[in-house]
């Protein structure tokens, strides 16, 4: 009788499939129709193509797959699959029965804030947007600026900043435009299901990449975020973050406390946190791996393949990390951004990609494409990922390659011609 284990994988990318293939397990993949790749069709043992974000659709397919193939673990390493995977794991009796509850708390920013407040952990002033008047009331109570964001989308989509009462008409109009619809760029697999208001949190931003093993949290890396105040797009990441030992301990301690309070016990997590004037404050967190090439940075700097751990741990095929790893190098990612307009030429990408210190380089635009004003992560044009001996060198190299070696010529948008008076 075969002892080969079977994973029911919900969504994901080719790299996720590859890690399960390396484990030698049977892969039953439930993939969204918009996300199927030729590689996945060849690599998995069973492929079921359905909209797994719809519970009534995915449940019968998953139950049939379990009945036919047997399932030892239900796993997702991608944001849209987290809730259905945890819900199926609970349904099949493969978890402690509380994974879906925890996953919902992590994905729903309102539930997250309520949970933290109940546990006595630091939270900003927070309230749900109910109508236009709720914006005024929040501004009077919490002050300005404050942030308005969807309860459960990702990558900075729909984030708004109210600088003063004069901004509230604009903010309310955008809330009404987006609420109840699908995200319209990047991934269309998320529904905007309400908005949250939060007081602005000052200070530099970081993310903490962790792996949890039966309730024990091991911080693998602290990632320094390269950001700008005028928009919500992340301009880059660097590891190890340039921090004093004391500040690093403050951040990692706050994240370990946060994960415990949220009920996270197993698997990868990516927690965005600011080192504010009032101390570390969690912005949001995800029970998944970080995006923006963070897993590549972590592997280059620390030698830890977080995707492999995320795949193997639920199946009992890897030993837990005993302690946080020490860095052996540094790595950085820098987003490619340009001023708005129309792309007329692109060059230098292949030359940059061929460098031995470059881990990845890609540009998603070509001549004729429109460059939008930079608002969130979906407006970035590409990225470069490098490794170096230390973080300063990695950041400096990455910025030079993005600014000088990758050349994207953009024709600025013509200014509108003012109408003449009749």
């Amino acid at each position: 009788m075969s002892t080969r284990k079977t994973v029911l994988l919900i969504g994901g990318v080719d790299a996720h499939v590859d890690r399960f293939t390396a484990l030698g397990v049977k892969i039953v993949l439930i993939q969204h129709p918009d996300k199927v790749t030729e590689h996945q069709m060849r690599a998995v043992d069973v492929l079921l193509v359905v909209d797994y974000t719809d519970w009534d659709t995915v449940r019968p397919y998953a139950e049939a797959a379990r009945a036919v193939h047997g399932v030892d673990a239900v796993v997702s390493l991608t944001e849209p699959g987290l809730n259905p995977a945890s819900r199926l794991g609970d349904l099949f009796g493969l978890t402690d029965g509380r994974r879906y509850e925890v996953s919902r708390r992590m994905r729903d920013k309102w539930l997250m804030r309520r949970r933290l407040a109940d546990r006595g952990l630091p939270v900003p002033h927070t309230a749900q947007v109910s109508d236009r008047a709720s914006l005024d009331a929040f501004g009077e109570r919490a002050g300005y600026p404050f942030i308005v964001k969807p309860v459960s989308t990702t990558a900075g989509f729909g984030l708004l900043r109210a600088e003063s009462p004069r901004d509230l008409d604009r903010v309310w109009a955008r809330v009404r435009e987006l609420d109840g619809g699908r995200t319209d760029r990047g991934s269309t697999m998320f529904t905007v299901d309400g908005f949250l208001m939060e007081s602005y949190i000052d200070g530099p931003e970081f993310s903490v990449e962790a792996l949890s093993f039966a309730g024990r949290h091991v911080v693998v890396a602290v990632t320094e975020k390269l950001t700008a105040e005028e928009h919500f797009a992340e301009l880059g990441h660097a590891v190890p973050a340039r921090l004093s030992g004391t500040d690093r301990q403050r951040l990692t301690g706050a994240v370990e406390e946060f994960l415990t309070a949220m009920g996270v016990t197993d698997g990868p997590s990516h927690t965005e946190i600011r080192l504010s004037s009032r101390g570390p404050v969690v912005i949001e967190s995800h029970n998944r791996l970080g995006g923006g090439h963070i897993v590549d940075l972590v592997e280059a700097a620390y030698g830890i393949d977080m995707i492999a751990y995320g795949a193997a741990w639920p199946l009992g095929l890897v030993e837990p990390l005993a302690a946080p790893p020490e860095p052996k190098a540094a790595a950085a990612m820098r987003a490619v951004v340009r001023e708005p307009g129309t792309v007329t030429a692109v060059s230098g990408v292949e030359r940059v990609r061929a460098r031995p210190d470059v881990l990845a380089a890609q540009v998603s635009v070509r001549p004729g494409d429109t460059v939008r004003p930079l608002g969130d992560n979906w407006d970035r044009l590409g990225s470069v990922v490098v490794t170096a001996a230390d973080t300063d060198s990695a950041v400096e190299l990455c910025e030079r390659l993005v600014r000088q070696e990758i050349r994207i010529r953009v024709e600025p948008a013509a200014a509108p011609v003012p109408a003449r008076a009749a």
Side-chain angles (χ1 to χ4, degrees), residues 82-149:
L82 297 174
N83 281 354
S86 59
R87 194 172 183 181
L88 288 167
D90 288 350
L91 177 68
F92 295 165
L94 301 173
T95 70
D96 59 7
R98 295 177 293 178
R99 296 292 175 86
Y100 178 52
E101 174 189 348
V102 172
S103 185
R104 285 184 62 241
R105 276 200 297 264
M106 293 288 281
R107 288 219 61 241
D108 186 312
K109 299 174 181 67
W110 174 242
L111 294 180
M112 182 193 79
R113 292 302 188 203
R114 289 174 58 190
R115 175 79 171 191
L116 297 181
D118 289 345
R119 295 298 187 274
L121 296 184
V123 295
H125 292 295
T126 309
Q128 290 178 297
V129 177
S130 57
D131 52 24
R132 172 64 176 78
S134 66
L135 296 171
D136 290 292
F138 188 80
E140 291 174 5
R141 178 167 67 90
Y144 294 87
F146 68 85
I147 303 299
V148 178
K149 58 187 178 182

Side-chain angles (χ1 to χ4, degrees), residues 86-320:
S86 59
R87 194 172 183 181
L88 288 167
D90 288 350
L91 177 68
F92 295 165
L94 301 173
T95 70
D96 59 7
R98 295 177 293 178
R99 296 292 175 86
Y100 178 52
E101 174 189 348
V102 172
S103 185
R104 285 184 62 241
R105 276 200 297 264
M106 293 288 281
R107 288 219 61 241
D108 186 312
K109 299 174 181 67
W110 174 242
L111 294 180
M112 182 193 79
R113 292 302 188 203
R114 289 174 58 190
R115 175 79 171 191
L116 297 181
D118 289 345
R119 295 298 187 274
L121 296 184
V123 295
H125 292 295
T126 309
Q128 290 178 297
V129 177
S130 57
D131 52 24
R132 172 64 176 78
S134 66
L135 296 171
D136 290 292
F138 188 80
E140 291 174 5
R141 178 167 67 90
Y144 294 87
F146 68 85
I147 303 299
V148 178
K149 58 187 178 182
V151 169
S152 58
T153 61
T154 188
F157 179 85
L159 265 67
L160 304 161
R161 176 167 163 154
E163 297 288 351
S164 73
R166 293 187 298 275
D167 272 347
L168 298 186
D169 284 340
R170 171 186 62 83
V171 169
W172 176 240
R174 184 62 171 158
V175 167
R176 292 187 64 189
E177 178 185 356
L178 295 178
D179 200 15
R182 287 267 183 169
T183 48
D184 59 3
R185 288 179 297 132
S187 173
T188 59
M189 297 169 66
F190 301 97
T191 299
V192 182
D193 53 355
F195 279 79
L196 189 68
M197 299 171 285
E198 293 186 342
S199 54
Y200 175 74
I201 301 169
D202 64 354
E205 187 171 347
F206 303 86
S207 68
V208 175
E209 325 310 328
L211 293 167
S212 297
F213 304 96
R216 184 174 63 88
H217 312 300
V218 179
V219 171
V220 179
V222 178
T223 304
E224 179 179 333
K225 287 185 176 290
L226 309 177
T227 60
E229 283 294 309
E230 61 268 21
H231 54 71
F232 294 105
E234 294 177 345
L235 296 176
H237 310 293
V239 294
R242 292 168 287 190
L243 281 166
S244 69
T246 299
D247 283 342
R248 188 183 192 283
Q249 184 56 49
R250 293 171 71 199
L251 289 174
T252 59
V255 169
E256 290 168 7
E257 188 176 28
F258 165 85
L259 293 172
T260 297
M262 293 294 289
V264 174
T265 58
D266 295 273
S269 59
H270 166 72
T271 304
E272 296 168 7
I273 186 169
R274 281 186 183 258
L275 192 55
S276 77
S277 55
R278 55 184 285 200
V281 179
V282 171
I283 304 296
E284 59 185 66
S285 186
H286 309 273
N287 51 323
R288 58 157 171 82
L289 303 159
H293 289 284
I294 285 177
V295 292
D296 301 318
L297 304 183
V298 170
E299 186 167 9
Y302 290 92
I304 300 294
D305 185 341
M306 293 191 69
I307 304 177
Y309 271 92
W313 177 250
L315 291 160
L317 297 178
V318 69
E319 292 296 317

Side-chain angles (χ1 to χ4, degrees), residues 353-366:
R353 189 182 293 133
R355 292 175 57 107
D357 48 7
V358 170
L359 303 176
Q362 61 89 24
V363 167
S364 59
V365 292
R366 57 187 179 181

Side-chain angles (χ1 to χ4, degrees), residues 53-82:
T53 65
D54 185 313
W55 175 248
D56 291 334
T57 298
V58 74
R59 176 176 176 171
Y61 281 91
E63 289 177 325
R66 183 188 183 213
V68 174
H69 304 285
V71 170
D72 294 289
V74 186
V75 180
S76 185
L77 300 173
T78 186
E79 184 88 11
L82 297 174

